Amino acid sequence: MRALAAVVIALALVPAAGADTFALELAAPAPATHGDAVVLRGKTVPTLVDAPVTLHRDGAVVATTTTGSDGTFRFRVLADAPATYLARAGQLESPAATLHVRPRIRARLVGAGVVGRRLRLEASVAPARSFHVQIRRNGKVVVERDILGSARIGLGTRRAASLRVTVSVAEADGWSAASRTLRAAVVQPLLALGARGPSVRVVEQRLRELRYALPRVDGLYGLDTYQAVLAFQKVERLPWTGRVDARVWARLRSARVPRARFAGNHIEVSKGRQYLMVVRNGAVSDVVHVSTGATGNTPLGRWQVYRKVSGWDWVLWYPMYFLRGFAIHGYPSVPAYPASHGCVRVPMWIAPRLYSSHGWGTTVHVYW
């Protein structure tokens, strides 16, 4: 539900000649969703303590309360329909405050979202009324219809595609307009090196959302996508295959951006899981697949970058040294297991970016 935006109305009443001026205020929330519990707030001006207050809806008393020590009061009501409310405290009466209500849209996509498997839209509106359904497939409208009651609409899954479903209700009879949008993808069930197409693009876009490093989103399952999938599998404690199967698809849907172990700005390297995280202000900005020392000699601890080389330094590409000869550097081969002489290997394409964004003194945390 949208944040409540109070609409405050005040009415000053003068009880008798020479008496003070009093006012009663009432605040109604901005459009609520049907079935939600909402709060109407008000106060007396000047403050009246322990004063009885009644709430009237369309002329009938629906609740009573008393003012607090600061003269405020509140009523909790059910947003079951648009209604007009006013508050009364003795001879004081607030102006009418209208509670606007929008219908509640229930919509979900049921099915696997995999090529060849069933996928359907289920939608309804409460209270029951006519609603509009629009379905876009790869940006093109394929369904456009008005429905009364509920809907069960099958979505084609013969080919991979991106789907955008919008269910909307127009403003009518005092009810506010409402809409809900669902997005989904019909994807190939298995993806590996060499694959291409919409399913690969969905994987790449999702990996980027989760902060896994990719140079581009191009729909081609190349080495960069393979390595980003490896990084994801390592963080999520899945088998390190570099392939996208049903288990990876499920985890991609539910996963969240990884959390840093330390606050501030730094680089974290996990030897146990073989990944690197770039951390900015305590939040992870990039997760990178790496390969550390084959003999387990990559040093654990907290270090600082003390030397950097632009370009090649022997066989190390854009190295950043953090202890003796140990460095984070690009290398043509970054397998899914520890294989270096002790350094932290990263994919060639990202080494210059790490180099340019981290200066001398950058903290490097290496942990298991």
Side-chain angles (χ1 to χ4, degrees):
M1 186 177 71
R2 296 179 183 173
L4 295 182
V7 181
V8 180
I9 308 172
L11 176 64
L13 301 177
V14 182
D20 292 333
T21 298
F22 288 87
L24 192 62
E25 299 177 352
L26 185 64
T33 300
H34 177 265
D36 282 348
V38 297
V39 176
L40 281 71
R41 304 176 187 273
K43 66 178 180 178
T44 57
V45 181
T47 298
L48 295 177
V49 180
D50 292 330
V53 183
T54 57
L55 181 69
H56 299 251
R57 171 175 168 166
D58 299 330
V61 176
V62 292
T64 61
T65 189
T66 56
T67 58
S69 59
D70 56 356
T72 63
F73 58 89
R74 52 185 285 173
F75 293 102
R76 190 178 179 88
V77 300
L78 182 68
D80 55 356
T84 300
Y85 293 89
L86 59 84
R88 287 180 180 151
Q91 294 183 344
L92 295 176
E93 180 178 291
S94 75
T98 301
L99 175 64
H100 298 279
V101 181
R102 53 177 169 248
R104 179 177 295 277
I105 297 174
R106 295 182 176 90
R108 63 175 183 160
L109 297 176
V110 180
V114 174
V115 170
R117 301 278 294 276
R118 291 183 179 180
L119 182 66
R120 71 176 182 271
L121 166 69
E122 294 184 354
S124 63
V125 172
R129 59 196 306 113
S130 176
F131 60 93
H132 185 76
V133 173
Q134 182 190 78
I135 302 175
R136 290 180 177 268
R137 184 182 182 91
N138 295 332
K140 181 181 178 181
V141 176
V142 293
V143 173
E144 187 102 48
R145 69 177 71 164
D146 292 315
I147 298 170
L148 179 62
S150 62
R152 290 168 63 94
I153 303 174
L155 306 175
T157 60
R158 288 186 298 174
R159 294 182 297 275
S162 295
L163 301 173
R164 183 175 185 270
V165 178
T166 302
V167 181
S168 58
V169 184
E171 181 178 355
D173 302 326
W175 291 83
S176 299
S179 67
R180 185 174 176 190
T181 298
L182 305 176
R183 289 179 172 83
V186 179
V187 297
Q188 295 289 348
L190 297 174
L191 297 173
L193 271 170
R196 63 176 65 234
S199 298
V200 178
R201 186 176 295 275
V202 169
V203 171
E204 293 172 330
Q205 290 172 338
R206 181 57 176 153
L207 287 170
R208 272 205 167 175
E209 289 174 2
L210 295 171
R211 305 294 187 267
Y212 290 88
L214 271 170
R216 66 190 68 84
V217 173
D218 56 8
L220 174 62
Y221 205 118
L223 181 60
D224 52 354
T225 304
Y226 168 83
Q227 291 172 333
V229 170
L230 272 176
F232 176 78
Q233 291 172 326
K234 291 175 175 182
V235 171
E236 295 294 322
R237 299 183 179 276
L238 297 172
W240 302 356
T241 65
R243 298 188 298 272
V244 178
D245 56 15
R247 190 174 176 185
V248 173
W249 280 118
R251 193 65 62 84
L252 281 169
R253 286 192 290 269
S254 63
R256 298 182 179 181
V257 175
R259 291 186 178 182
R261 183 173 296 191
F262 303 99
N265 301 312
H266 58 272
I267 293 174
E268 296 184 14
V269 177
S270 170
K271 280 181 60 177
R273 304 303 297 175
Q274 295 287 289
Y275 61 78
L276 174 152
M277 296 194 300
V278 177
V279 181
R280 301 290 186 192
N281 298 318
V284 173
S285 63
D286 286 289
V287 186
V288 183
H289 157 68
V290 304
S291 178
T292 60
T295 63
N297 60 334
T298 306
L300 299 175
R302 181 178 183 272
W303 317 106
Q304 275 78 41
V305 172
Y306 70 91
R307 179 171 174 251
K308 299 171 60 181
V309 177
S310 176
W312 290 104
D313 185 26
W314 187 45
V315 294
L316 312 185
W317 181 242
Y318 281 89
M320 297 189 297
Y321 294 91
F322 58 86
L323 176 68
R324 300 191 298 273
F326 296 98
I328 298 170
H329 65 83
Y331 198 75
S333 174
V334 188
Y337 50 85
S340 77
H341 289 90
C343 289
V344 180
R345 294 183 186 178
V346 300
M348 294 286 284
W349 71 267
I350 201 170
R353 195 169 90 181
L354 293 174
Y355 175 94
S356 63
S357 60
H358 295 87
W360 288 36
T362 294
T363 298
V364 177
H365 294 279
V366 183
Y367 49 77
W368 185 255

